[in-house]
């Protein structure tokens, strides 16, 4: 129902607000419910504890990354990348503060995004999991891209500047990493 969605959103936003002030392990259900002006029973109706609520936030961002990455990877692989879509830029502007808090809190989300993206590339290019050379190339690419996104979040990069950064990242990737990956994939 809409009421349940609104309540969950309020609890998630409250946890993110608290994460600006302290580490996850220092936050209690009482703090969340007091600040959200809800009772603990409402909280426990939806979540087991603070960590469960945090995990749901991480899940949401991981799902977004999982839906976005394949679109951009296919464009990059085919040489059709022309920059970030307006939809993604709008998403960046709307969520960058929350992403910054969640991504900098711990590396759980970064690791999930990286592993999910690498699994997608392996499947898309039909690369075996045990190909160490290609795995190193992908690890380098994913770590660099996610590191770049983290740096942009830390520097409070605007959407317009993010477009420039991602275009530069694309040029770097296509001039070296994709070429190396392409050679290894076509070699088989």
């Amino acid at each position: 129902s809409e009421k349940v969605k609104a309540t969950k959103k309020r609890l998630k936003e409250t946890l993110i607000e608290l994460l600006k002030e302290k580490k996850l392990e220092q936050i209690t259900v009482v703090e969340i419910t007091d600040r959200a002006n809800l009772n603990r029973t409402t909280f426990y109706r939806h979540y087991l504890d603070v960590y469960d609520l945090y995990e749901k936030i991480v899940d949401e961002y991981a799902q977004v990354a999982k839906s976005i990455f394949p679109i951009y990877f296919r464009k990059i692989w085919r040489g059709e990348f022309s920059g970030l879509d307006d939809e993604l830029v709008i998403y960046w502007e709307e969520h960058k503060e929350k992403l910054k808090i969640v991504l900098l809190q711990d590396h759980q989300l970064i690791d999930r995004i990286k592993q999910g993206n690498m699994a997608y590339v392996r499947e898309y290019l039909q690369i075996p999991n045990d190909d160490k050379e290609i795995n190193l190339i992908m690890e380098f690419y994913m770590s660099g891209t996610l590191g770049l996104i983290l740096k942009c979040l830390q520097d409070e990069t605007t959407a317009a500047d993010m477009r420039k950064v991602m275009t530069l990242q694309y040029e770097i990737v296509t001039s070296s990493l994709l070429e190396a990956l392409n050679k290894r994939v076509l070699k088989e």
Side-chain angles (χ1 to χ4, degrees), residues 44-149:
Y44 288 115
R45 191 175 301 133
H46 304 292
Y47 306 103
L48 299 172
D49 54 25
V50 174
Y51 296 98
D52 185 41
L53 172 58
Y54 180 75
E55 182 65 26
K56 298 300 187 269
I57 294 168
V58 170
D59 284 346
E60 284 180 20
Y61 286 121
Q63 282 302 109
V64 169
K66 188 177 180 179
S67 68
I68 291 170
F69 179 77
I71 296 165
Y72 283 94
F73 181 78
R74 286 190 302 266
K75 286 180 180 179
I76 290 168
W77 186 252
R78 291 186 227 141
E80 299 168 356
F81 182 78
S82 60
L84 297 178
D85 295 339
D86 289 340
E87 183 179 327
L88 191 55
V89 171
I90 291 167
Y91 185 86
W92 174 265
E93 282 300 321
E94 289 176 355
H95 294 269
K96 69 181 177 184
E97 281 306 309
K98 294 175 189 171
L99 280 168
K100 179 179 177 179
I101 292 163
V102 173
L103 287 170
L104 297 177
Q105 182 70 24
D106 66 49
H107 292 289
Q108 179 183 5
L109 178 57
I110 294 169
D111 290 340
R112 284 176 62 183
I113 291 170
K114 184 173 22 173
Q115 293 310 313
N117 290 352
M118 288 172 66
Y120 173 80
V121 171
R122 276 194 289 277
E123 182 181 320
Y124 183 78
L125 299 177
Q126 299 177 352
I127 299 167
N129 287 341
D130 62 351
D131 189 320
K132 291 180 182 179
E133 199 171 321
I134 290 179
N135 285 338
L136 286 172
I137 292 168
M138 288 194 304
E139 179 74 30
F140 183 79
Y141 167 71
M142 296 298 169
S143 295
T145 299
L146 291 168
L148 188 61
I149 290 169

